[in-house]
Each structure stands twice: as structure tokens, then as C-alpha cells.
């Protein structure tokens, strides 16, 4: 469920949670239990010991989470202003790890026009408009999550924990973290933690927000993870086209026609140029 200070909290799936230590051999093998892991553990009096980590279906580094079907990328239509470069990088990471992304544009109650403008940039993805304040989109979100495991991701204070509280009224996760002062204080999510939502039979991982993120990709492979580039890219003159300064680029032509959102394309160029600088 979560790890804090060398302790790992393991659920037996029957409502009991055990505070476990990981076996020394994991450390020697460079393995560390992650939130979302399936493990074999030995229940001891007053705690337990993790004996095996079962093979992972997938594992994300940012946020740290294992075995997830869907990545819930939360963006704010109000404050904080959405960092769409960060969003694009998280989408790239999801594509690379074959995890289905779902974009949640939250805080629609603050700025619906901004919410619609963001939605238009991500037309090739599943996008849901939500408000943890007015409850907008919570019903459809439950259907998207039914029977799945999912992980929240996004900047801090976009409303990840608030949305999770809405999914299960029994949850009382700490929310806040909008002001700089409290960002390191009590009202913020400090580690990835998994929750079972009985209402939609889903396992959801809440995660702390972050702002810095590197995809760790090569600039020539980055375009592959843009679903809206894929069809157009087949018509580029060069098979190795990065859709930057190459001649006869069908992706750039699609941007000019308005078939690919210009903002997405311009951020793509910024992302690959920053890779070149490195
Ligand atoms: N107006 C509005 N505020 C929201 C909404 N969702 C969350 N908030 C507020 O935004 C702040 C940060 O929320 P929190 O859930 O802690 O964000 P997290 O850091 O992503 O988990 C809190 O003060 C919430 O009450 C929303 O849909 N509308
Ligand atoms: Mg939170
Ligand atoms: Zn091209």
C-alpha cells in the first residue's frame, strides 16, 4: 500500500494491514518494494516481513508505482496554472510503458473556458472534465476505473487527493498544498499510497505532486510516443524524420492544416531541443 522510512505497509486483501520490513536480500539485489507491488509476506506478531516481490506488469518511476492499468493525469483549469510540458512528458512515459492515460481536467468550476481549451489540445486521448468541488465527472470517472488499477499523477495542488476523496466518501485524505508555505507542511500528500475503492472495485494510487521530470528518452524516439503524429509520420520523406527541420515533413503539414494541435507540436519541439542541449 505504501512505504515510509524503511517500513512497507502490506494489505492481505481482507482488510488487515501489516507493517513489514523488506528482506535484506532485496537491498543486495537492488530491489525495493513499490506501491502497487504484489508481494509474498510472512505475517509475524505485530508486523511482518516481505519475502518475495512478484513480477511487475509495469513500473513507473515518476510517480513511483507498479502494476497499473491507467494513468490518471490531473490538470488544473484554474490555479495552479497547468504545466503542459510536464503533462506531455507524463503522457510520453505512459505510452512508453503501455499504460493507458486518462486526462482529468479538474477545477472546471474555476475556469470552464480554460478547461475546454486544454481539452482541444488532447483530442487523441481520453479526456474527462471534473470538479472535486461540484462533483462534475465523478460518476463517469468511477466507470472508467471500474475493476482497474490506476495511479494519479500531476502537479501538486491540482486536486488529486480531492478527487480520490470524492470517489469514496469514506476517505479523508489531506488536501491543500496550494500555498508555498504549506507545500512541505501537513496538508499534502507525501508518498504514493494505494487505496481500494469498493464502490467501483478499483485500486487507486494517490501520489505526491512534482514539477521536474525527464523522460530519459532519446530525441529520435520521442515522436513515436505522440499518438496524433503516428499516421501523418508515415508520409514524411525520411523514415527517420524528427518532424523538426527536415524537408517534406507530413507532421508539420498536418500542424499547418490544423489536424495536429499547434501547441502540442510546439511543446514537442521544445522537449526535443532540450534533449539536444543535454
Ligand atoms: N475550486 C476547486 N478547488 C479544488 C478542486 N479540487 C481540489 N481543489 C482544491 O485545491 C487544493 C489542492 O487540492 P489537493 O487535492 O490537495 O491537490 P493534490 O496536491 O493534487 O492532491 C485544495 O485546496 C482543494 O480544496 C476543484 O475541482 N475545484
Ligand atoms: Mg494530494
Ligand atoms: Zn516528419
Amino acid at each position: 500500500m505504501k512505504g515510509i522510512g524503511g517500513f512497507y505497509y502490506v494489505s492481505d486483501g481482507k482488510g488487515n494491514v501489516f507493517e513489514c520490513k523488506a528482506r535484506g536480500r532485496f537491498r543486495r539485489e537492488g530491489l525495493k518494494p513499490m506501491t502497487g507491488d504484489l508481494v509474498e509476506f510472512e505475517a509475524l506478531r505485530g508486523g511482518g516481513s516481505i519475502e518475495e516481490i512478484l513480477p511487475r506488469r509495469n513500473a513507473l518511476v515518476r510517480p513511483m508505482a507498479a502494476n497499473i492499468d491507467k494513468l490518471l493525469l490531473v490538470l488544473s483549469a484554474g490555479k495552479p496554472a497547468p504545466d503542459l510540458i510536464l503533462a506531455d512528458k507524463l503522457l510520453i512515459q505512459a505510452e512508453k510503458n503501455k499504460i493507458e492515460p486518462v486526462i482529468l481536467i479538474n477545477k472546471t468550476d474555476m475556469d470552464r473556458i480554460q478547461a475546454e481549451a486544454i481539452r482541444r489540445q488532447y483530442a487523441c486521448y481520453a479526456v474527462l472534465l471534473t470538479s472535486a468541488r461540484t462533483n462534475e465527472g465523478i460518476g463517469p470517472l468511477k466507470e472508467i476505473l471500474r475493476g482497474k488499477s490506476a495511479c494519479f499523477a500531476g502537479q501538486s495542488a491540482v486536486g488529486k487527493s480531492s478527487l480520490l476523496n470524492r470517489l469514496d466518501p469514506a476517505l479523508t485524505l489531506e488536501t491543500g498544498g496550494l500555498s508555498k508555505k504549506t507545500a512541505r507542511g501537513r496538508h499534502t500528500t507525501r508518498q504514493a499510497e494505494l487505496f481500494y475503492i469498493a464502490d467501483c472495485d478499483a485500486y487507486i494510487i494517490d501520489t505526491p505532486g512534482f514539477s521536474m521530470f525527464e523522460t530519459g528518452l532519446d530525441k529520435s524516439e520521442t515522436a513515436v510516443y505522440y499518438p496524433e503524429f503516428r499516421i501523418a509520420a508515415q508520409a514524411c520523406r525520411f523514415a527517420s524524420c524528427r518532424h523538426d527541420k527536415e524537408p517534406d515533413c507530413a507532421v508539420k503539414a498536418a500542424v499547418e492544416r490544423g489536424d495536429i494541435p499547434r501547441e502540442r507540436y510546439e511543446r514537442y519541439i521544445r522537449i526535443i531541443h532540450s534533449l539536444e542541449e543535454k
Side-chain angles (χ1 to χ4, degrees), residues 111-126:
D111 192 340
R112 182 159 301 275
I113 298 192
Q114 165 85 319
E116 293 293 350
I118 299 170
R119 191 219 292 261
R120 279 194 295 278
Q121 293 192 38
Y122 293 105
C124 68
Y125 290 99

Side-chain angles (χ1 to χ4, degrees), residues 134-254:
T134 66
N135 234 10
E136 178 181 352
I138 302 302
L141 180 55
K142 283 183 185 169
E143 293 322 307
I144 286 171
L145 296 175
R146 188 165 299 283
K148 303 286 184 190
S149 61
C151 174
F152 276 109
Q155 292 157 266
S156 83
V158 291
K160 299 179 292 297
S161 301
S162 301
L163 287 168
L164 199 40
N165 281 338
R166 282 294 194 172
L167 288 172
D168 183 351
L171 283 177
T172 53
L173 300 174
E174 287 181 310
T175 62
L178 196 53
S179 92
K180 285 263 185 308
K181 266 189 193 141
T182 56
R184 284 163 59 84
R186 297 183 347 191
H187 303 291
T188 182
T189 310
R190 273 150 296 173
Q191 64 273 317
E193 179 166 3
L194 183 142
F195 300 91
Y196 177 67
I197 312 289
D199 194 22
C200 50
D201 183 33
Y203 289 95
I204 316 287
I205 300 175
D206 192 21
T207 65
F210 52 85
S211 51
M212 294 286 283
F213 179 70
E214 293 307 332
T215 58
L217 291 185
D218 191 82
K219 61 179 181 293
S220 56
E221 81 174 309
T222 299
V224 172
Y225 301 113
Y226 280 70
E228 67 267 69
F229 290 8
R230 242 168 246 156
I231 291 173
Q234 292 171 3
C236 292
R237 190 206 296 185
F238 300 108
S240 62
C241 189
R242 288 180 195 137
H243 324 304
D244 186 4
K245 294 180 181 107
E246 295 85 351
D248 297 329
C249 170
V251 168
K252 275 190 283 181

Side-chain angles (χ1 to χ4, degrees), residues 124-135:
C124 68
Y125 290 99
V127 180
L128 192 62
L129 268 53
T130 63
S131 169
R133 180 135 313 165
T134 66
N135 234 10

